[in-house]
Amino acid sequence: FLDPYGEGDGMPAAPTQRTVAGVTVDSYDVGEGIVIDVAITGGYVVVATSSAVMDNALQAQASGGALPASLAALAGNVPSGANSVLLQDGAASFRMIGQALTSQFGLFTGLVSSDIDFDAAEEASEALAEYIEFLANRAGGQFSYGVADGSVLRGYSLTGIDW
């Protein structure tokens, strides 16, 4: 990962390491409040955007735990031999995107140097948050996978939304 603030003489940001359930986890602090955890276990690379999520996943695996029912149903769509797999909770993903977008919208509004109708900007931000919450309430699971077929890489993904 790059050094977003240019504080490391152009060198990639160094991870901090910890051990969870016998697995080494590298944590990269890539910006204000943004952490990416990476671990290798059971022949898989596990990536999480929260240390708590990574810890829960590794502890569940160590105790023989299975995927939550919502994600286990999605896993059945992935063919054997897939080289990469992504299963995620669509509602949580939309809510995370909503928080980031409305935060950035507010930041951008505050940085604009021209005349701006702050009340209208606030209304627009609230409308955006409401729409993303609408999507989150209807979002199902999301999955994607990749397979290699000779020299061809094929990918497939699906996001379920119950309109």
Side-chain angles (χ1 to χ4, degrees):
F1 295 100
L2 298 178
D3 178 7
Y5 300 107
E7 297 170 347
D9 298 325
M11 299 303 296
T16 57
Q17 288 189 330
R18 66 183 193 286
T19 301
V20 178
V23 178
T24 300
V25 177
D26 290 338
S27 292
Y28 296 87
D29 183 359
V30 295
E32 293 181 31
I34 301 172
V35 174
I36 297 179
D37 280 5
V38 180
I40 299 173
T41 182
Y44 295 96
V45 175
V46 181
V47 180
T49 55
S50 151
S51 293
V53 169
M54 176 64 81
D55 294 355
N56 289 340
L58 293 175
Q59 290 168 353
Q61 180 202 28
S63 66
L67 289 171
S70 60
L71 296 181
L74 294 174
N77 295 302
V78 178
S80 62
N83 300 95
S84 63
V85 176
L86 171 68
L87 306 171
Q88 65 189 59
D89 176 347
S93 297
F94 275 111
R95 287 190 176 96
M96 182 183 72
I97 290 167
Q99 290 173 350
L101 286 177
T102 55
S103 173
Q104 292 299 313
F105 191 85
L107 178 63
F108 175 75
T109 302
L111 294 175
V112 173
S113 60
S114 63
D115 291 334
I116 188 165
D117 183 343
F118 287 101
D119 291 334
E122 181 66 25
E123 282 183 41
S125 179
E126 289 171 5
L128 176 63
E130 185 178 325
Y131 178 68
I132 292 174
E133 184 62 23
F134 167 83
L135 292 174
N137 288 334
R138 286 154 182 78
Q142 300 171 326
F143 73 89
S144 64
Y145 62 84
V147 293
D149 183 11
S151 62
V152 176
L153 299 176
R154 291 183 292 122
Y156 180 81
S157 65
L158 176 90
T159 300
I161 296 183
D162 183 7
W163 294 110

